[in-house]
Each structure stands twice: as C-alpha cells, then as structure tokens.
Amino acid sequence: SPVFNQLKLSDFNLHSYIPEGYEMRKYGEKKKTEEPHELIGKQAPEWILPDTKEEMVSLYSLKGKVILLNFTGIGCGACQMAIPFLKELKEQYPADDFELIAIESWSGKTSSRKGYVEKKGLNYPFLGATEEVLKDYKTGRAAPWFFLLDENHIIRKIFFGYSEERTSKEIEE
C-alpha cells in the first residue's frame, strides 16, 4: 500500500515553506520591513532588467531624464486601471526629457509580460523584476508603486496604489 507522508507533526516547520524575503505577521500587526518612503531624497538603486524582447535595460542608460518607475503586477486590478493614464502620460512628454518604465513584480515569465504588453497596447517599456530590485525599492511585491526620479535619479516622490482622480493628479503635479 502507498505511503504518502511519514513526517511527524513535531518535525513539521511551517516557516520552511515560506519563500525567502516574504514577511509573516499576525492580522493587524504592523509591518516590520522598511518602508519605501525612506528612499525619498536618495539616489535610486541601480538596476539592469530584461524587457519583453530579452534585451537588457539599465537605469543608468536613462541618465538625464525624469523617470516614473511603475512597479506593477499583471493580475493587479489597480495596476490595470492606471494603464490609460500611463499611456497618455507617455505621449504627453517628450522622450528626450521623460521616460516611463513599468517593472513587473509578480510574473517572472517573459512570455507573460510580452502577451500583456500586446493585449494592453502599452507604449512604454515593461521590464521583468529581480528579487534584488524588489528588495532595493522595498515594495514587498505589493502593487502598484510609483517612484518619481529626477534627472539625476534622485527619488523625489513615491506613490502607492492607484486612484484615477487622486494618483493621476499627484503624479502630474
């Protein structure tokens, strides 16, 4: 007869099943990790990430431009609500002065990102995140996060979540 599990309850360790970098806390308990807002006024962490064609894009290569980094998730409803605003924003400002970059935080698959870009008709780069970039920007895999960087890549403002009226207005200002 088959034997499925011989692990004794006393040997079971729930924490060994939680991926590294994830935070566990009781309902209502405050976060223990650092907040991204601590990055305001600091140099944005450097990154080199793949786009949907597997070509590498670096933050350094965008020097001299104002940048809006959007940490997003393919399955995130608020992230999808922001797309019309982001597409319009990309059209509104000259490419020599402004760049909008989305960084997919939830799916590591290039094929998923590529299909999403085509389906949504995105007019801006859609890069794949690494664990390191998610840790550096302290997003905790939550989405959407928006980081506004000046021409020298100093983080000037950070926005979490998306509301058509509030967030769009705050980012434009």
Side-chain angles (χ1 to χ4, degrees):
S1 73
V3 176
F4 293 101
N5 187 351
Q6 295 183 343
L7 184 66
K8 295 177 187 169
L9 188 56
S10 61
D11 295 332
F12 179 74
N13 180 1
L14 173 64
H15 297 284
S16 66
Y17 293 92
I18 298 168
E20 187 178 330
Y22 280 73
E23 180 182 322
M24 269 187 31
R25 61 182 188 267
K26 292 180 184 174
Y27 179 77
E29 191 177 273
K30 296 269 186 198
K31 279 178 78 168
K32 296 174 188 162
T33 56
E34 297 176 74
E35 288 290 324
H37 297 292
E38 297 172 10
L39 297 173
I40 293 176
K42 296 181 181 169
Q43 189 74 39
E46 182 59 49
W47 44 257
I48 300 174
L49 300 171
D51 66 11
T52 55
K53 297 174 187 166
E54 288 297 322
E55 294 176 14
M56 301 308 278
V57 177
S58 71
L59 179 59
Y60 182 78
S61 69
L62 304 169
K63 204 79 166 169
K65 294 183 178 187
V66 170
I67 300 169
L68 181 63
L69 289 179
N70 169 219
F71 284 83
T72 187
I74 286 176
C76 165
C79 301
Q80 291 183 37
M81 281 178 41
I83 290 173
F85 164 71
L86 295 174
K87 287 167 55 172
E88 185 179 306
L89 194 66
K90 175 69 174 158
E91 294 292 324
Q92 191 175 347
Y93 294 97
D96 292 342
D97 301 328
F98 174 75
E99 187 63 70
L100 168 61
I101 303 283
I103 300 176
E104 168 56 40
S105 302
W106 295 0
S107 173
K109 295 182 180 180
T110 304
S111 60
S112 297
R113 285 188 287 113
K114 190 174 184 176
Y116 188 77
V117 166
E118 290 170 6
K119 182 179 177 185
K120 300 294 182 181
L122 302 186
N123 58 350
Y124 49 89
F126 199 68
L127 310 179
T130 61
E131 290 299 322
E132 183 181 6
V133 79
L134 295 174
K135 188 175 180 182
D136 288 348
Y137 282 84
K138 306 174 191 304
T139 65
R141 290 192 180 274
W145 281 101
F146 300 92
F147 291 76
L148 188 60
L149 316 181
D150 69 15
E151 302 86 4
N152 298 310
H153 298 168
I154 304 297
I155 298 172
R156 295 297 172 192
K157 296 228 180 219
I158 300 175
F159 311 92
F160 177 66
Y162 182 77
S163 160
E164 199 169 338
E165 299 83 31
R166 180 186 51 83
T167 313
S168 300
K169 188 177 182 180
E170 289 175 353
I171 289 173
E172 283 182 319
E173 289 175 356

